[in-house]
């Protein structure tokens, strides 16, 4: 097993350089995984494939980089719409990069944060993928790593860990039992990530995704539906005409959770590439534009209020809950 934390050295050794190819992943290895997904149509399947290719482009670029700045050149080869997915992959790629370069894993924010600050959420989610690979049964080691992260984002790796679990196992609910090992708050955020994975496992087939959510412990239904909303808003930013139809299929008691997740997805997209966000939103009808911009405003206001009150404990959960409490008015 790769050590969770490596002893720091100034330069990668020749031996560690030689190990780089062992950490790369051919995008084709996910094809059997995607083949098991029950997607609504072929264009959804192709979109999931493109997202996976983009994610692994960023991962491979970071894992094999001499200097992390090399990641930018690889990401620029992708269509602009998919580049944030690649930077999420780079967050995962920091794991092998830190090992090969002898850098402590908790230096993550120092290196990845300076590389791509506009995808801060995606970066931390990508780190969760790596932690799910190297330490899934070491909750104390994961907690020790995440506790050193910025308090606003230290729960986000659990979202990535939960997403990885659901995505690689085609949304198998039995796998979620392991989330309990990450504590109360980690467990809830893992379920949000699992719910987001269901969006990709069943993209467009909302009823099937919701049926899977229904089989979870009821205490996690809201988390999982939040993840569905996040995945929908983030991956279908360029399909605004489809959003209302998806929202209409969500049971009324869970629509605020769905919209909270969507609000976080839209805000992440806006931060990652504001010009592209404005361009794509400009093509939407006025009602959807108003809803999106109001949702993003709520995300910012809740965050700023927490910062103003110097809230540090489980910041991300309080951010989610505060946003959910205020987005209900945007559903109609």
């Amino acid at each position: 097993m790769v050590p969770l934390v490596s002893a720091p050295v100034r330069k990668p050794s020749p031996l560690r350089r030689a190990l780089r190819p062992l950490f790369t992943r051919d995008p084709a290895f996910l094809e059997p995984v995607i083949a098991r997904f029950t997607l609504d149509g072929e264009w959804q399947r192709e979109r999931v494939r493109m997202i996976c290719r983009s994610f692994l482009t960023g991962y491979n670029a970071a894992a094999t980089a001499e200097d992390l700045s090399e990641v930018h050149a690889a990401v620029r080869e992708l269509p602009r719409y998919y580049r944030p997915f690649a930077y999420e992959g780079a967050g995962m790629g920091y794991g092998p990069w830190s090992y090969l370069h002898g850098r402590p894993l908790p230096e993550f924010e120092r290196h990845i944060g300076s590389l791509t600050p506009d995808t801060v959420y995606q970066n931390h989610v990508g780190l969760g993928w790596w932690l799910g690979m190297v330490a899934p049964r070491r909750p104390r080691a994961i907690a020790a790593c995440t506790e050193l992260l910025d308090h606003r984002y230290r729960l986000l790796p659990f979202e990535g860990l939960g997403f990885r679990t659901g995505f690689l196992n085609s949304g198998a609910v039995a796998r979620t039992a392991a989330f309990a090992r990450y504590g109360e708050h980690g467990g809830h955020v893992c379920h949000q990530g699992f719910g987001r994975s269901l969006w990709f496992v069943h993209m467009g087939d909302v009823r099937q995704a919701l049926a899977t959510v229904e089989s979870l412990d009821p205490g996690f239904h809201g988390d999982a539906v939040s993840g569905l909303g996040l995945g929908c808003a983030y991956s279908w930013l360029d399909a605004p005409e489809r959003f209302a139809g998806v929202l209409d299929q969500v049971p009324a008691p869970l629509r605020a959770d769905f919209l909270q997740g969507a609000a976080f997805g839209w805000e992440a997209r806006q931060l990652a590439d504001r010009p592209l966000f404005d361009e794509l939103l400009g093509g939407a009808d006025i009602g959807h534009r108003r809803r999106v911009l109001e949702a993003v405003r709520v995300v910012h206001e809740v965050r700023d209020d927490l910062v103003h009150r110097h809230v540090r404990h489980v910041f991300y959960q309080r951010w989610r809950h505060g946003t959910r409490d205020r987005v209900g008015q945007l559903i109609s």
Side-chain angles (χ1 to χ4, degrees), residues 23 30 76 97 115 124 135 137:
F23 289 96
L30 285 175
R76 280 195 295 269
W97 184 88
L115 174 75
H124 286 78
R137 294 177 176 84

Side-chain angles (χ1 to χ4, degrees), residues 7-303:
V9 295
R10 290 183 178 276
K11 295 181 180 180
S13 68
L15 175 60
R16 292 192 178 194
R17 284 194 181 97
L19 291 174
R20 283 175 179 166
L22 299 178
F23 289 96
T24 60
R25 293 290 182 270
D26 184 337
F29 98 93
L30 285 175
E31 279 300 316
V33 177
I34 298 171
R36 298 194 298 268
F37 292 175
T38 57
L39 305 169
D40 193 46
E42 190 54 37
W43 80 265
Q44 288 95 331
R45 192 170 300 277
E46 185 53 38
R47 172 145 297 190
V48 173
R49 285 195 185 104
M50 189 61 199
I51 288 169
C52 289
R53 292 188 200 115
S54 302
F55 179 86
L56 289 174
T57 293
Y59 167 76
N60 286 332
T64 60
E66 186 72 25
D67 187 284
L68 282 174
S69 63
E70 298 165 20
V71 169
H72 293 310
V75 173
R76 280 195 295 269
E77 295 297 315
L78 296 168
R80 188 173 177 183
Y81 188 81
Y82 294 96
R83 292 174 189 172
F85 295 100
Y87 283 118
E88 181 178 332
M92 175 182 168
Y94 178 80
W97 184 88
S98 69
Y99 169 67
L100 294 171
H101 288 251
R103 298 291 183 181
L105 195 58
E107 288 186 2
F108 169 81
E109 288 179 328
R110 169 186 166 192
H111 296 287
I112 292 292
S114 61
L115 174 75
T116 172
D118 291 342
T119 57
V120 60
Y121 312 119
Q122 299 90 323
N123 301 345
H124 286 78
V125 168
L127 175 63
W129 269 78
W130 179 249
L131 294 174
M133 288 176 62
V134 300
R137 294 177 176 84
R138 299 167 62 196
R140 290 184 180 179
I142 291 178
C145 177
T146 58
E147 280 300 311
L148 296 174
L149 300 175
D150 185 307
H151 68 276
R152 294 169 295 177
Y153 313 124
R154 64 175 52 134
L155 283 171
L156 274 170
F158 295 102
E159 206 275 5
L161 199 157
F163 180 90
R164 178 181 181 275
T165 298
F167 188 88
L168 294 181
N169 295 285
S170 303
V173 171
R175 300 281 184 162
T176 64
F179 297 161
R181 65 169 62 112
Y182 304 116
E184 177 187 357
H185 302 295
H188 278 289
V189 180
C190 278
H191 278 86
Q192 178 188 284
F194 180 81
R196 184 168 64 92
S197 79
L198 295 178
W199 175 256
F200 294 90
V201 170
H202 304 295
M203 186 177 285
D205 189 349
V206 183
R207 287 185 173 82
Q208 182 60 49
L210 289 169
T212 303
V213 171
E214 186 67 24
S215 64
L216 293 169
D217 182 307
F220 298 114
H221 287 182
D223 301 307
V225 170
S226 168
L228 279 176
L230 205 164
C232 175
Y234 191 82
S235 67
W236 278 11
L237 179 66
D238 60 342
E241 71 282 357
R242 295 176 177 268
F243 183 81
V246 174
L247 181 62
D248 285 345
Q249 296 180 66
V250 178
L254 292 169
R255 286 182 185 171
D257 295 287
F258 185 89
L259 197 56
Q260 174 270 308
F264 273 43
W266 290 322
E267 198 266 338
R269 272 291 192 173
Q270 184 190 72
L271 179 61
D273 188 337
R274 182 62 184 265
L276 180 62
F277 176 86
D278 290 342
E279 175 186 334
L280 293 175
L281 193 60
D285 67 76
I286 189 169
H288 185 71
R289 287 203 304 273
R290 182 181 298 114
R291 172 159 48 196
V292 171
L293 293 176
E294 282 294 297
V296 171
R297 179 185 61 78
V298 168
V299 172
H300 291 163
E301 288 183 353
V302 173
R303 177 202 62 197

